[in-house]
Amino acid sequence: MRFQREDPVFWPDAEPGTSAFLHKLAVRRAWAGQGVSTALLAFGCQHAGSLGLRYLRLDCVADRQPLRRLYEGFGFTLNDCVRKGSREFARYQIVL
């Protein structure tokens, strides 16, 4: 997982200094289903909150339903969907 303070590519409209952004959340297949993804999301929320930020934001390809269910189950809400090139991406956020 990559934790960023800016994301001008997927979140150019985010007010500077209010958000952190997660990218490339990945878990080895051998660890799948053991809560690692949830722990990484929880760490992202805790770390962003400790920096005084209001939101943790992330995106994924819009047709990746299992991943979207993971984010929604954790408490992220769908902000919107945006098109980048030929793909559509779902943008999610959680208020800290």
Side-chain angles (χ1 to χ4, degrees):
M1 172 178 81
R2 185 171 60 200
F3 183 94
Q4 296 177 208
R5 296 287 301 265
E6 298 176 342
D7 184 355
V9 174
F10 284 95
W11 292 87
D13 53 336
E15 184 180 340
T18 63
S19 306
F21 306 89
L22 294 183
H23 288 285
K24 302 195 181 290
L25 178 71
V27 176
R28 287 189 183 273
R29 212 30 87 197
W31 292 91
Q34 297 183 42
V36 176
S37 296
T38 301
L40 289 168
L41 293 172
F43 170 79
C45 286
Q46 183 277 326
H47 187 55
S50 75
L51 296 171
L53 302 173
R54 180 157 186 210
Y55 302 101
L56 182 62
R57 293 175 162 151
L58 49 79
D59 58 80
C60 66
V61 176
D63 65 2
R64 298 206 47 208
Q65 292 304 321
L67 188 55
R68 291 182 68 172
R69 281 193 295 276
L70 169 72
Y71 297 150
E72 291 167 7
F74 187 84
F76 282 85
T77 57
L78 180 65
N79 186 68
D80 59 12
C81 290
V82 297
R83 186 159 292 283
K84 297 284 181 185
S86 64
R87 301 198 83 171
E88 186 174 35
F89 293 85
R91 299 192 318 167
Y92 283 92
Q93 66 183 20
I94 193 167
V95 177
L96 303 173

